[in-house]
Amino acid sequence: MTLRTTSRRLALFLLGTVLTCALGACSPGGTMPESNDSLDNRVLEAARNGTELRLADATDFEWDQAGFITEGTPATEIESAFGEAITREERYTASPVLFVFLKDGKVSKAVRITPDAFSGKDAKKKYGRDVSLVPVEGRSGYLSWRE
């Protein structure tokens, strides 16, 4: 093998490693936050209209537990609550709220939610498939997680 061939192989290996990490394979636990316009719009509609939303009815994927964190939650607290840090940063800052869905005890999906409609007292807890987002009495635009 020539020096040129060895250099090319090394460069390709390094490029492949960098691309793999950039595409998420090097994420803290493998699950990266994603958008879901349908879910986000349903949550926004429930908050605006003061209506109850059964979370299982608003999702089109498998999960058996769900919870959420608010913007600014430290990665260590996210990992403690859900088993994965989910963010590469020290704190989650990509949206006002992040819904975390688990299947068989493992994080299966993390969805960025734009309405800032949730109280931190309901955060970092796991709720079952019967959870609903319900209007908070006397606080227009706010929803609470209730089983």
Side-chain angles (χ1 to χ4, degrees), residues 2-19:
T2 67
L3 181 57
R4 176 179 258 174
T5 303
T6 302
S7 295
R8 280 188 190 157
R9 285 185 179 176
L10 178 60
L12 287 172
F13 171 77
L14 291 173
L15 179 61
T17 302
V18 168
L19 285 174

Side-chain angles (χ1 to χ4, degrees), residues 39-50 53 113-115 143:
L39 177 58
D40 193 54
N41 288 335
R42 300 268 315 260
V43 172
L44 180 59
E45 181 181 322
R48 278 187 182 154
N49 297 333
L53 175 64
I113 300 295
T114 56
L143 300 169

Side-chain angles (χ1 to χ4, degrees), residues 63-103:
W63 58 275
D64 50 32
Q65 289 183 304
F68 76 97
I69 54 112
T70 56
E71 184 176 32
T73 302
T76 55
E77 290 181 21
I78 299 168
E79 185 171 9
S80 177
F82 299 107
E84 288 185 32
I86 302 175
T87 180
R88 290 185 181 131
E89 306 300 323
E90 210 170 291
R91 296 178 176 276
Y92 178 76
T93 59
S95 66
V97 179
L98 181 71
F99 283 10
V100 180
F101 295 92
L102 298 96
K103 179 71 177 156

